[in-house]
Amino acid sequence: MPPVESAPAASPRPDTTAPRAVRQDTFAGGVRGPWWWLGLAAAVAGVVGALLWTGAAGVQQLGDPGSFTRWGLPLATTIHNMALATVVGALVFAIVILPKDAKPRRPRTGKQKLDSASHAHAPEHPAFTRVMTLAAVAGGVWTVAAIAVLVLTYSSISGLAVSGSSDYTNQLVFYMTELPVGQAWLMVVICAAVTTTMVFGLRNISALAVPLVVAMLSFVPQALIGHSASSADHVGAVNSLFLHITSVSLWVGGIVVLVVVSGVLGSITAQTLQRFSALAIFAFAGVAGSGVVNAAIRITNWHDLFHSTYGQLILAKSAATIVLGVIGWMHRTWIIPRLAGGQKSTTAARTRRLLWQLVFGELLIMGVTSGIAVGLSRSAPPQSRELVQAALTPAQILTDYPLPPELTFARWFTEWRMDWLWVAFAVAAGAAYLSGLVKLRRRGDKWSVLRTVSWFTGLLSLVYITSGGTAVYGQVLFSAHMVEHMSLMVIAPLFLALGSPVSLALQALTPRRDGSRGIREWILVLVHSRFSQLITHPLFAAANFAGSLIIFYYSPLFNLAMRYHVGHELMIVHFTLTGYIFIMSMIGTDPLPFRFPYAMRLLLLLATMAFHAFFGVSLMMATNLLSGEYFGNMGRPWGDSALVDQQTAGGIAWGVGEIPTLAIAMGVAYMWAKSDARETKRKDRAAVRNNYADLNAYNDMFAQLAARDATTDPAHSGPPLPHLHNGKPPAASGAVQATATQPDSPSGSQGEKH
């Protein structure tokens, strides 16, 4: 027939569409190796364009170090940032996203060892192997780039061209060991070298958490020496920059890892994307929020934002972030559900092709944005550079902020200085808690409203303690600092512990069955670890809760926490965790390796109350200042003297510390009473189920003893041994009969058995 005879005429069509097929196959099974390098090329193009736009790479009028430093330092910084993000992303994928073994297996939990010897030589999943190789290679690049940034930064600051002379080398050593910027970059180099060394030698999932922590520690010195750290809001600038670096590293590093492992994911593509998507949501929120805060610190008016080259680059970064957010939304709402839902082979192939095209596009946009960020760090923001005529006050020298107005009751609530680190923690913890509640509700499970209210009350109190009047006046008054300290130890942790976040996470999160470790699996690992058994033991928790006060205030740690921002943040972390763990061991409901009986808990609480009283009285009676070089030199024209204020702090330590502790003791007593009531009901139900078998056996034992005594000693004429009536001896004295209560009707009426 004519249609059949005309079929051969269509044979040339495959030739005309062959180029299109090749283009489609480029991303059919992932992003191929040659395309990976375009991400780095995009980053280089971004930094070069930003430097040309702002003129930051131009010849310096005073102490020009040469074109090699002017162009080499931004390029080395770009490579450093991309390599660091890749290391962090690869380790995150290895620890919480990808399965380690090629054969899916459910990880052991509880007291069983997760990485047992039986699986030590199991074949690794190709994606896990590639991720670890990527982490090792990126770690080596990060180390070399960090060294280059260290050397070129000195060249840029000193205005000297890079040289191998002895004078240059000696000055470089002085810069690394004595100056803050050099010390910061030396710390980054050390973190890079240590991380790379551990990545080469480790394959245990638990052990890989250590190099991840070390790599993320390198964010701290970078935030301290960042461009905005010298602004008027020093604390806000440092914290927002730290959050920005952390979020960007998780996001960019994750995209780089996805591109590199795209060809070997295979059947786990959908679940890998779904897990990374959950992390990317928090990373996107962190990038956007911290970016807005950091930009607001550098640019103080709308005119500079739109009409300065610096502000225009910020707008370009913002637009790129929005585009990336839209692509992420497409992944989560459209592509991932189609991959996980199971489609026809043709449709699934098109979806995978579109997926990797979008991921590759994300890599290019992120590369350009990273380059723009480096260009911004090398450019001067359009802030006022007017010389300060008045000399710095003692308060500004000590705290980096002007002295606040005289403290009144209203100013406890009206004076604020936002600590964005803890604001971000509160937002993330609240969002995670709400997500768990939504999952439980969709599943039909219930969760206590009081626990929810307690959790969010604790988060709000933590934000106020770290950003409100206690934080502002805690920098200049010992008494206000003591309010902040006691609130961190006993008030915020009390509400947070009663929120039971660990129990919620264990109920809401789905166990993984492929051998990887999610948040739920890591919680179980930590709960049953030896470290957790040590720090959550009631004796250790109580000793840490009470002893930390003495160690902190009567050692140089107190002065370090007051003088340095990192020390202050570490103080907040330590005492919040100390109070949380202690309260958890007393009245918490989250799982712990060991808890004391209620009587021992009350004794521990009484001991800590006595210790708090002793500490408070010792401060009230002290005649010398603690950290006198700090509080004694504040130059306050208002308020009590430093010594009187310290004595007031002693009274606060006594009162504020005792009242919540007394409330905890009442909670222990209440839980004790409820536990006894539950135990009594349980025993009663068990007795009804077994027809009072235990009570009858107990009575029979006494009857046998009485019969034996009567047989061996006929002269014995005393009364028989008492039998139990409802588990208690009869009230009447003299001769008694063996009695026991048993139900004789379903209605619960009881008769006596004689």
Side-chain angles (χ1 to χ4, degrees):
M1 291 183 293
V4 175
E5 295 175 353
S6 61
S11 57
R13 293 185 62 185
D15 295 332
T16 60
T17 59
R20 181 181 178 185
V22 172
R23 289 195 298 271
Q24 290 178 345
D25 291 340
T26 301
F27 297 101
V31 182
R32 296 183 178 182
W35 296 90
W36 300 348
W37 302 102
L38 288 182
L40 181 60
V44 172
V47 68
V48 171
L51 292 175
L52 292 176
W53 182 258
T54 60
V59 178
Q60 301 179 11
Q61 296 180 355
L62 298 176
D64 182 64
S67 59
F68 179 78
T69 298
R70 285 188 277 107
W71 287 98
L73 178 56
L75 294 176
T77 304
T78 302
I79 296 174
H80 167 274
N81 294 345
M82 295 292 291
L84 171 57
T86 303
V87 171
V88 172
L91 290 175
V92 168
F93 265 68
I95 292 172
V96 298
I97 294 180
L98 294 175
K100 181 177 184 294
D101 298 330
K103 183 179 179 181
R105 64 181 180 89
R106 184 176 181 179
R108 299 179 182 181
T109 57
K111 296 183 179 180
Q112 297 176 333
K113 193 173 182 180
L114 285 142
D115 294 311
S116 57
S118 61
H119 296 278
H121 302 289
E124 292 181 346
H125 195 284
F128 183 88
T129 303
R130 182 170 290 188
V131 159
M132 293 306 301
T133 303
L134 175 64
V137 174
V141 175
W142 176 29
T143 305
V144 175
I147 296 174
V149 172
L150 171 64
V151 175
L152 293 174
T153 302
Y154 169 70
S155 174
S156 177
I157 293 176
S158 65
L160 301 175
V162 177
S163 171
S165 63
S166 58
D167 290 340
Y168 186 89
T169 304
N170 293 334
Q171 294 174 8
L172 178 61
V173 172
F174 177 82
Y175 163 77
M176 291 188 298
T177 56
E178 300 297 334
L179 299 181
V181 177
Q183 292 172 343
W185 278 111
L186 178 61
M187 183 62 65
V188 174
V189 171
I190 294 174
C191 290
V194 172
T195 301
T196 305
T197 303
M198 288 191 290
V199 167
F200 271 104
L202 296 177
R203 274 298 189 272
N204 183 284
I205 296 180
S206 299
L208 285 175
V210 178
L212 176 61
V213 172
V214 175
M216 298 185 72
L217 284 177
S218 67
F219 299 158
V220 177
Q222 296 182 65
L224 291 173
I225 60 175
H227 201 292
S228 59
S230 58
S231 62
D233 187 5
H234 175 74
V235 173
V238 171
N239 286 349
S240 62
L241 186 56
F242 174 80
L243 290 172
H244 197 72
I245 296 173
T246 304
S247 303
V248 167
S249 297
L250 292 173
W251 197 9
V252 175
I255 293 298
V256 172
V257 173
L258 277 179
V259 169
V260 173
V261 303
S262 59
V264 294
L265 285 178
S267 60
I268 65 171
T269 300
Q271 70 179 22
T272 300
L273 290 171
Q274 190 170 11
R275 293 169 183 175
F276 175 68
S277 176
L279 176 64
I281 290 175
F282 287 93
F284 172 77
V287 169
S290 60
V292 169
V293 172
N294 215 268
I297 292 174
R298 300 187 191 190
I299 296 182
T300 57
N301 57 74
W302 292 103
H303 180 271
D304 290 339
L305 178 63
F306 291 100
H307 295 88
S308 67
T309 56
Y310 190 92
Q312 290 164 0
L313 288 181
I314 289 180
L315 292 175
K317 277 188 60 179
S318 302
T321 303
I322 294 174
V323 172
L324 291 171
V326 172
I327 295 177
W329 177 79
M330 293 175 61
H331 283 309
R332 190 166 184 85
T333 60
W334 185 48
I335 293 180
I336 294 177
R338 282 166 172 75
L339 288 176
Q343 299 174 322
K344 296 181 180 179
S345 58
T346 304
T347 306
R350 292 176 180 174
T351 303
R352 286 194 299 269
R353 187 178 300 112
L354 178 60
L355 161 69
W356 298 121
Q357 288 173 347
L358 288 176
V359 170
F360 179 69
E362 285 183 281
L363 178 66
L364 296 181
I365 297 174
M366 284 184 172
V368 174
T369 308
S370 299
I372 293 175
V374 174
L376 281 172
S377 67
R378 299 294 301 165
S379 307
Q383 289 184 330
S384 175
R385 296 298 178 183
E386 297 179 1
L387 295 177
V388 179
Q389 300 296 330
L392 294 176
T393 63
Q396 288 176 297
I397 296 174
L398 293 172
T399 68
D400 293 322
Y401 290 95
L403 185 70
E406 183 176 2
L407 178 60
T408 61
F409 178 77
R411 289 193 175 117
W412 281 106
F413 307 100
T414 58
E415 292 291 329
W416 287 80
R417 186 181 299 152
M418 303 305 296
D419 190 330
W420 296 107
L421 186 64
W422 293 102
V423 171
F425 169 79
V427 172
Y433 200 93
L434 286 176
S435 176
L437 291 178
V438 171
K439 289 183 178 179
L440 288 183
R441 182 177 293 274
R442 290 176 178 175
R443 208 164 56 200
D445 297 333
K446 295 182 179 180
W447 186 256
S448 171
V449 176
L450 292 179
R451 290 183 180 180
T452 304
V453 173
S454 177
W455 175 254
F456 284 97
T457 302
L459 292 179
L460 291 176
S461 63
L462 185 61
V463 170
Y464 170 74
I465 294 167
T466 56
S467 302
T470 54
V472 175
Y473 287 97
Q475 293 289 315
V476 298
L477 288 172
F478 199 159
S479 56
H481 164 80
M482 191 57 66
V483 173
E484 177 187 16
H485 189 156
M486 292 295 107
S487 300
L488 287 172
M489 286 190 71
V490 294
I491 295 180
L494 176 61
F495 291 106
L496 294 175
L498 293 177
S500 304
V502 176
S503 298
L504 176 62
L506 293 178
Q507 293 184 39
L509 296 173
T510 304
R512 294 190 181 180
R513 316 240 177 220
D514 60 350
S516 63
R517 287 192 196 172
I519 297 177
R520 190 179 191 277
E521 287 72 23
W522 273 106
I523 289 175
L524 292 175
V525 169
L526 294 175
V527 167
H528 295 289
S529 65
R530 293 183 179 179
F531 178 72
S532 176
Q533 294 175 9
L534 172 64
I535 65 172
T536 62
H537 192 280
L539 289 178
F540 183 90
N544 190 25
F545 184 76
S548 293
L549 293 173
I550 298 297
I551 296 175
F552 178 74
Y553 282 103
Y554 292 97
S555 72
L557 294 176
F558 181 34
N559 192 51
L560 292 175
M562 300 309 300
R563 292 294 303 271
Y564 299 101
H565 175 62
V566 174
H568 186 74
E569 297 294 343
L570 291 177
M571 179 200 76
I572 295 175
V573 172
H574 172 76
F575 285 107
T576 303
L577 288 177
T578 296
Y580 180 83
I581 293 173
F582 177 70
I583 295 172
M584 274 289 302
S585 66
M586 294 292 109
I587 60 174
T589 58
D590 282 337
L592 287 180
F594 176 76
R595 277 190 172 94
F596 270 162
Y598 292 104
M600 289 296 297
R601 299 187 202 181
L602 288 176
L603 289 177
L604 276 180
L605 281 170
L606 292 175
T608 55
M609 289 176 68
F611 195 90
H612 267 267
F614 170 77
F615 173 72
V617 171
S618 66
L619 281 182
M620 293 171 65
M621 299 179 62
T623 57
N624 59 320
L625 283 175
L626 300 181
S627 188
E629 63 272 23
Y630 184 83
F631 288 106
N633 294 323
M634 193 60 62
R636 288 184 290 106
W638 47 264
D640 296 328
S641 64
L643 184 59
V644 173
D645 186 65
Q646 177 176 294
Q647 294 169 351
T648 303
I652 292 172
W654 187 0
V656 177
E658 298 303 318
I659 295 175
T661 307
L662 180 61
I664 296 172
M666 296 174 62
V668 172
Y670 174 74
M671 294 175 65
W672 192 358
K674 287 189 63 177
S675 177
D676 286 346
R678 287 194 302 267
E679 183 66 16
T680 300
K681 291 180 179 179
R682 186 191 67 80
K683 290 181 178 179
D684 289 343
R685 289 193 299 267
V688 172
R689 286 195 301 269
N690 60 24
N691 198 24
Y692 294 87
D694 294 339
L695 183 59
N696 292 333
Y698 191 72
N699 285 336
D700 292 341
M701 180 191 68
F702 277 108
Q704 293 174 3
L705 290 176
R708 186 187 63 183
D709 291 343
T711 302
T712 58
D713 189 8
H716 177 72
S717 59
L721 294 173
H723 287 225
L724 295 182
H725 181 84
N726 272 347
K728 298 180 180 179
S733 60
V736 295
Q737 293 180 344
T739 61
T741 60
Q742 292 181 342
D744 58 0
S745 68
S747 62
S749 61
Q750 295 180 347
E752 291 186 351
K753 178 182 178 181
H754 297 278

